[in-house]
């Protein structure tokens, strides 16, 4: 049987090529994604930068450690503590010490992120003078090359003279003052370099920390490679890789889903279109088992060859893909491929298993055709919906809708998480694809109702061909369904969530002006100048965080704002479900319903932004909304937090322009920007982050590319299989142009069927998102990305028409040549 099948393979080379291309590209994409994902699993071993030459660095407490069942949980503090003067004096007895201070600097014409340090710590990088000299006076500084010696610069700390420069080492833009001037500008000691035995320093630090009650933060003693934790943003490599890992993980998951879906659909259609061949084999005595074994053996041979080709394609494509990620800013500049081999194994075996699974599922039905029914089965499609397809399709549809309903009833906020709204549509996509033959006939007849009644037979033929070839129509519509559903669901969900977040901001902001701070925030003097502007009421708030232990095992961080309750009540509106803003005091906190404990009057144990442990009473509870409501505390429970935003409410009769000018004048010394509420909301309108949006477009681009190839494959196979039908139409008197227009119209009709089904899937997913927002008391409207959907429709239509018309034209040309030969 296998020998016979292989000898007749030349008559079905289009089918083999189509299946080979679909599988090879799928495996190639999986290999590429796998290689990229493997490269994100190991961050480069970053060496210390600012303190590369320091013997021992003592860093103020910046890590929170909370005991939980079975161990402890750690978190980065929002407000790291300084090295206390007492600890500094204790360590000075062990050996020479150097105090490090870091503080933001604003310089006219200087770099955006500029930081100040005392000159004595420059030697530990090491920074070396390449021009000029070290600073000696309060108004003298050394820079990292962004301003040359002799230059006068205006800063928020007064006019300065650059007396020297050091070589820029690439990790910061710095200004170095004398040690005495830096100590007056920033009295707190951020880090302390100690020239002493590390063990002795460790013991001294531990003894000093034990004397601080109510704190679970850790003062760290850094030596060796750990000195990098004293550098600015020491986790930037790991965080960058984590973002790339999340993007590639999502892209890989969607790629795997789309490739499995398209490959399985292509293989099933390739087997289904061989009904006539199987009918003849069954008539001459072939058993169902022989037919199944033949199909499986062919799939095995094809799967091995295509999977191997896909791995080779991925090996060449992965470097190009990584270069794209770096150039697009999705990955850091140092990101490169590693030497992992597991992606090749995973992609190869996944491709082979998918090929076999698709062939087995289709061959089982082909092998069950009885000899007496063989020719009837080959001539006309019967029972497109098998019992197994009904059961699986209906089960997946019920699972998709059931899990959606369960989430709405139990945890609606989970539907707003990226992993959930990316993965959840896949259940409905597969369900609709399996049930698509049920939808094909009514959709085709509804869409083609008007064209079928126009003069001429073209519309009628388009309708009847699409209706009669249900399996073919469903197979062609499936890739369109996947792409449209993914585009509508992903882009529509992000747009809907952004609109809901924007609506929350608009509803909550009742101030007339918002003043935002520059680097370093607002100092008390600036706040008092702003408060003194006539005709205003202000609410000065600071960003902070609180941590809470939930279920005894998890340490949850909540972003928070430190506020004056009375002032906040006059300039903002909180989505409270219980309690009032003015009930907030130094012994209480405002939380959201997302907290494990959220009953007004109950007490919750929290860790403040500096690591201090407090038991606070819940004064009020807010709705969850889109997840950005956070928590509110008073300034007494936000030690170390600096005011970074001031909301201003105008008094009745106050002139907005006059008050705005006065506010701008008061805020200017601190680098503050005064914006009207509308302008501030416009500038801070929530949007999809650049990395997230690029990741989504990457996912959709891969899906569109791959489904386009799958669509073209299926149409080429389907059209080449209809050469006899097209020739009959020509013999019946249809012109070449009429036949080609009919083929193009039929392909457009099938694309429209897939597009409608995909839009329905997207609408169901978006309806679930909107329902979740409603349950969470979030405002906003449902946003359907019609522009993206229209572009997807157009791309699929263009691919479908080209993939159908070109093979049809070749078939007609070959048929004309054959007829001419017969006449000769």
């Amino acid at each position: 049987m296998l020998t016979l099948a292989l000898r007749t393979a030349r008559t079905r080379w289009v089918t083999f090529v189509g299946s080979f291309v679909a599988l090879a590209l799928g495996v190639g994409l999986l290999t590429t994604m796998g290689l990229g994902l493997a490269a994100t699993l190991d961050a480069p071993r970053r060496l210390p930068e600012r303190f590369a030459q320091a013997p021992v660095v003592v860093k103020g407490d910046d890590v929170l450690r909370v005991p939980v069942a079975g161990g402890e949980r750690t978190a980065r503090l929002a407000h790291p503590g300084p090295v206390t003067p007492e600890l500094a004096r204790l360590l000075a007895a062990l050996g020479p010490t150097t105090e490090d201070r870091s503080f933001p600097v604003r310089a006219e014409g200087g770099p955006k992120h500029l930081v100040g340090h005392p000159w004595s710590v420059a030697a530990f990088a090491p920074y070396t003078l390449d021009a000029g000299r070290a600073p000696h006076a309060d108004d003298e500084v050394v820079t990292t090359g962004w301003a040359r010696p002799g230059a006068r610069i205006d800063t928020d700390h007064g006019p300065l003279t650059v007396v020297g420069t050091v070589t820029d080492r690439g990790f910061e833009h710095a200004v170095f003052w004398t040690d005495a001037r830096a100590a007056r500008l920033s009295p707190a000691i951020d880090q302390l370099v100690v020239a002493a035995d590390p063990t002795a320093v460790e013991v001294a630090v531990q003894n000093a920390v034990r004397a601080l009650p109510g704190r679970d933060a850790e003062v760290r003693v850094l030596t060796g490679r750990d000195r990098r934790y004293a550098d600015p943003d020491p986790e930037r490599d790991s965080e960058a890789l984590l973002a790339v890992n999340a993007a590639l993980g999502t892209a890989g998951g969607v790629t795997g889903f789309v490739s499995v879906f398209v490959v399985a659909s292509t293989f099933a259609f390739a087997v289904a279109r061989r009904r006539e061949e199987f009918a003849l084999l069954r008539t001459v005595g072939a058993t169902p088992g022989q037919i199944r074994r033949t199909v499986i053996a062919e799939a095995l041979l094809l799967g091995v060859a295509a999977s191997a080709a896909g791995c080779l394609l991925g090996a060449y494509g992965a470097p190009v893909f990584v270069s794209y990620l770096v150039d697009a800013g999705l990955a850091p500049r140092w990101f490169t491929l590693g030497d992992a081999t597991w992606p090749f194994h995973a992609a190869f075996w996944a491709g082979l298993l998918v090929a076999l699974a698709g062939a087995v599922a289709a061959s089982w039905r082909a092998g069950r055709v009885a000899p007496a029914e063989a020719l009837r089965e080959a001539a006309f499609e019967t029972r497109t919906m098998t019992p197994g397809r009904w059961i699986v399709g209906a089960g997946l549809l019920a699972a998709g809708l059931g899990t959606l309903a369960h989430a709405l009833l139990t945890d609606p906020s989970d539907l707003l998480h990226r992993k959930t709204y990316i993965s959840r549509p896949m259940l409905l996509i597969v369900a609709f694809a399996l049930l698509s033959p049920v939808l094909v006939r009514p959709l085709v007849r509804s869409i083609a109702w008007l064209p079928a009644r126009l003069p001429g037979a073209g519309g009628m033929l388009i309708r009847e061909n699409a209706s009669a070839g249900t399996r073919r129509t469903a197979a062609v519509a499936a890739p369109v369904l996947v792409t449209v559903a993914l585009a509508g669901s992903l882009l529509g969900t992000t747009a809907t969530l952004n609109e809901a977040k924007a609506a929350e901001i608009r509803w909550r902001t009742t101030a007339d002006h918002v003043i935002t701070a520059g680097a370093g925030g607002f100092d008390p003097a600036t706040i008092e100048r702003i408060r003194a502007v006539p005709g205003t009421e202000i609410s000065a708030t600071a960003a902070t965080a609180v941590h809470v232990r939930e279920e005894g095992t998890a340490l949850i961080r909540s972003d928070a704002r430190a506020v004056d309750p009375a002032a906040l009540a006059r300039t903002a509106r909180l989505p409270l479900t219980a309690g009032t803003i003015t009930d907030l005091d130094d012994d209480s906190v405002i939380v959201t319903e997302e907290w494990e404990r959220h009953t007004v009057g109950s007490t919750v144990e929290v860790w403040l932004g500096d690591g201090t442990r407090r038991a606070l009473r819940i004064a009020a509870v807010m709705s969850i909304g889109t997840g950005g409501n956070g928590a509110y505390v008073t300034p007494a429970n936000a030690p170390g937090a600096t005011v970074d935003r001031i909301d201003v409410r105008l008094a009745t009769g106050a002139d907005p322009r006059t008050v705005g000018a006065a506010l701008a004048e008061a805020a200017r010394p601190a680098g503050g920007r005064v914006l009207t509420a509308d302008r501030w909301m416009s500038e801070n309108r929530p949007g999809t982050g650049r990395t997230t949006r690029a990741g989504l477009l990457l996912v959709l681009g891969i899906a569109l590319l791959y489904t386009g190839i799958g669509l073209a494959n299926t149409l080429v196979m389907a059209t080449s299989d209809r050469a006899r039908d097209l020739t009959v139409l020509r013999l019946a008197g249809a012109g070449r142009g009429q036949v080609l227009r009919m083929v193009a119209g039929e392909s457009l009709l099938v694309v429209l069927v897939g597009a409608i089904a995909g839009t329905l899937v997207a609408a169901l997913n978006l309806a679930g998102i909107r329902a979740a927002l409603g349950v969470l008391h979030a405002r906003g409207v449902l946003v359907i990305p019609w522009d993206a959907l229209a572009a997807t429709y157009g791309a699929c239509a263009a691919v479908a028409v080209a993939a159908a018309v070109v093979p049809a034209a070749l078939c007609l040309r070959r048929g004309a040549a054959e007829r001419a030969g017969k006449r000769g």
Side-chain angles (χ1 to χ4, degrees):
M1 285 291 296
L2 181 59
T3 302
L4 179 63
L6 292 176
R7 287 181 176 178
T8 60
R10 63 184 181 83
T11 63
R12 354 183 211 97
W13 65 271
V14 173
T15 300
F16 279 103
V17 170
S19 301
F20 181 90
V21 170
L23 183 57
L25 286 174
V27 173
L29 286 173
L30 289 176
T31 303
T32 300
M33 293 297 161
L35 289 171
L37 196 61
T40 67
L41 299 180
D42 294 313
R45 297 176 62 85
R46 181 171 289 278
L47 298 174
E49 294 173 331
R50 283 196 63 218
F51 297 95
Q53 302 295 325
V56 180
V57 180
V58 176
K59 185 173 179 60
D61 44 357
D62 66 339
V63 175
L64 175 65
R65 296 185 181 274
V66 175
V68 297
E72 66 177 12
R73 293 287 184 267
T74 63
R76 297 296 299 272
L77 290 174
H79 312 299
V83 176
T84 63
E86 295 79 13
L87 180 58
R89 286 193 295 270
L90 178 64
L91 295 177
L94 301 178
T97 60
T98 304
E99 298 175 353
D100 175 52
R101 296 173 170 85
S102 298
F103 48 93
V105 179
R106 292 184 295 274
E108 188 173 342
K112 182 177 181 180
H113 300 289
L114 193 57
V115 62
H117 299 301
W119 172 246
S120 60
V121 300
F124 297 114
Y127 282 114
T128 56
L129 285 169
D130 56 13
R133 58 173 176 83
H136 300 311
D138 286 351
D139 63 344
E140 295 180 347
V141 293
V142 171
T143 70
T144 51
W146 56 269
R148 306 308 301 172
R152 292 284 292 177
I153 54 176
D154 292 324
T155 72
D156 54 332
H157 301 297
L160 303 171
T161 300
V162 178
V163 296
T165 59
V166 294
T167 303
D168 184 6
R169 300 185 63 85
F171 55 83
E172 67 176 353
H173 296 293
V175 180
F176 295 95
W177 270 271
T178 62
D179 289 11
R181 178 58 174 162
R184 290 195 296 272
L185 293 175
S186 180
I189 304 173
D190 297 323
Q191 292 154 144
L192 191 71
V193 179
V194 185
D197 177 63
T199 303
V201 174
E202 183 75 40
V203 171
V205 167
Q206 290 178 357
N207 292 334
V209 170
R210 291 194 189 99
L212 299 175
R215 296 175 64 82
D216 292 304
E218 177 189 24
V219 177
R220 290 194 286 177
V221 178
L222 308 175
T223 59
R225 191 180 296 275
D226 287 345
R227 289 170 299 177
R228 69 185 182 87
Y229 291 109
D231 292 331
D233 197 11
E235 301 294 345
R236 60 186 180 274
D237 290 344
S238 298
E239 292 170 358
L241 284 187
L242 185 63
V244 179
N245 182 277
L248 292 185
T250 301
V254 174
T255 298
F257 167 74
V258 173
S259 60
V260 168
F261 185 92
V262 173
V263 168
S265 176
T266 302
F267 269 71
F269 180 67
V271 173
R273 69 189 292 267
R274 296 171 60 188
R275 292 190 310 274
E276 184 176 355
E277 177 188 344
F278 295 144
L280 293 174
L281 291 174
R282 290 288 284 125
T283 302
V284 297
T287 65
Q290 287 177 313
I291 289 180
R292 293 185 187 118
R293 286 193 295 272
T294 299
V295 173
I296 293 172
E298 289 178 353
L300 180 61
L301 293 175
L302 182 64
V304 169
S307 295
C311 288
L312 183 62
L313 182 65
Y316 282 100
V320 177
F321 179 65
V322 167
S323 297
Y324 162 77
L325 292 177
V326 172
D327 293 341
L330 298 178
R333 289 290 172 186
W334 45 260
F335 183 62
T336 58
L337 287 176
D339 54 2
T341 58
W342 65 261
F344 292 101
H345 295 283
F348 179 87
W349 291 110
L352 186 57
L353 289 175
V354 169
L356 290 175
V360 167
S363 66
W364 187 259
R365 181 173 183 271
R368 288 190 306 165
V369 178
E373 300 175 356
L375 294 178
R376 178 167 63 87
E377 177 73 11
F380 183 73
E381 293 183 358
T382 61
R383 286 204 318 154
T384 305
M385 288 298 299
T386 62
R389 189 163 185 163
W390 270 113
I391 293 172
V392 177
L396 288 175
L397 180 61
L401 296 177
T403 54
L404 176 61
H406 181 265
L408 288 173
L409 293 174
T410 58
D411 187 13
S413 61
D414 181 62
L415 294 174
L416 309 185
H417 297 160
R418 186 172 62 178
K419 289 184 179 179
T420 302
Y421 68 69
I422 287 178
S423 61
R424 186 173 293 277
M426 297 178 187
L427 277 177
L428 294 178
I429 289 173
V430 177
F432 269 71
L434 290 173
L435 298 175
S436 58
V438 180
L439 302 173
V440 164
R441 196 177 298 274
L443 283 177
V444 165
R445 294 200 170 274
S446 299
I447 297 169
W449 179 83
L450 179 59
R453 280 160 175 73
L454 296 176
M460 182 269 294
L461 287 174
I462 291 173
R463 183 190 66 186
E464 296 305 321
N465 283 334
S467 298
T470 303
R471 184 178 290 111
R472 180 181 69 244
T473 302
V476 175
V480 182
L481 187 157
V482 174
T483 308
V484 171
L486 284 176
S489 297
L490 300 187
L491 296 181
T493 297
T494 54
T496 298
L497 292 179
N498 289 337
E499 181 59 35
K501 292 175 183 177
E504 278 186 339
I505 293 175
R506 287 193 298 269
W507 183 82
R508 291 173 58 171
T509 303
T510 61
D512 297 298
H513 291 82
V514 177
I515 308 176
T516 58
F522 291 113
D523 57 86
T526 300
I527 297 174
E528 290 306 315
R529 286 198 304 271
I530 294 173
R531 195 187 305 276
V533 174
T536 62
E537 290 180 303
I538 75 166
S539 173
T541 64
T544 184
V546 294
H547 295 83
V548 62
R549 181 172 49 197
E550 295 191 353
E551 299 178 353
T553 58
L555 183 63
I556 307 299
R557 172 188 166 117
S558 291
D559 291 332
R561 302 293 298 181
V563 301
D564 177 343
L568 181 68
R570 294 189 293 268
T571 58
R573 184 190 298 121
L574 300 187
L576 298 179
T577 59
T580 62
I581 297 177
T582 52
D583 287 341
L584 179 66
D585 56 30
D586 292 346
D587 296 316
S588 62
V589 60
I590 296 178
V591 304
T592 70
E593 293 176 325
E594 200 169 16
W595 283 44
E596 180 183 24
R597 180 172 297 181
H598 55 267
T599 303
V600 171
S602 62
T603 301
V604 59
E605 185 180 43
V606 301
W607 284 262
L608 304 179
D610 69 338
T612 302
R613 185 168 63 249
R614 290 289 311 274
L616 298 177
R617 173 180 51 83
I618 296 178
V621 179
M622 298 180 290
S623 62
I624 297 175
T626 59
N629 289 333
Y632 287 87
V633 295
T634 60
N637 289 318
T642 302
V643 171
D644 59 359
R645 170 179 162 181
I646 300 176
D647 290 10
V648 182
R649 185 79 178 267
L650 300 185
T652 303
D655 180 50
R657 291 189 177 182
T658 303
V659 172
L663 292 173
E665 183 64 27
R668 184 175 295 110
R673 294 182 65 216
V674 180
L675 305 172
T676 64
D678 290 339
R679 174 74 179 276
W680 178 81
M681 285 185 281
S682 175
E683 289 191 4
N684 291 273
R685 179 181 175 84
T688 305
R690 180 176 178 273
T691 302
T692 301
R693 182 171 180 81
L696 289 177
L697 292 178
L698 173 65
V699 169
L700 294 176
I702 291 172
L704 181 60
L705 173 64
Y706 192 60
T707 53
I709 293 170
L711 176 64
N713 269 337
T714 306
L715 275 170
V716 168
M717 289 190 292
T719 305
S720 62
D721 202 35
R722 299 175 60 194
R724 185 183 305 169
D725 297 339
L726 300 179
T727 302
V728 169
L729 283 175
R730 288 287 284 126
L731 292 174
R736 177 185 174 86
Q738 290 177 311
V739 174
L740 294 181
R741 284 194 295 272
M742 183 203 71
V743 171
E746 189 176 336
S747 64
L748 288 175
L749 175 62
V750 175
V751 167
L752 193 54
V753 169
I756 291 174
T759 304
L760 182 58
V761 172
L764 285 174
N765 282 295
L766 293 178
I769 295 296
R770 187 63 195 88
L773 290 172
V775 173
L776 296 170
H777 307 290
R779 293 161 177 80
V781 297
L782 183 65
V783 180
I784 299 177
W786 291 116
D787 53 346
L789 290 178
T792 305
Y793 297 159
C796 290
V799 171
V801 170
V805 170
V806 172
L810 294 176
C811 288
L812 291 176
R813 179 178 298 177
R814 185 166 56 248
E818 291 175 356
R819 291 195 300 273
K822 291 178 181 180
R823 285 196 299 270

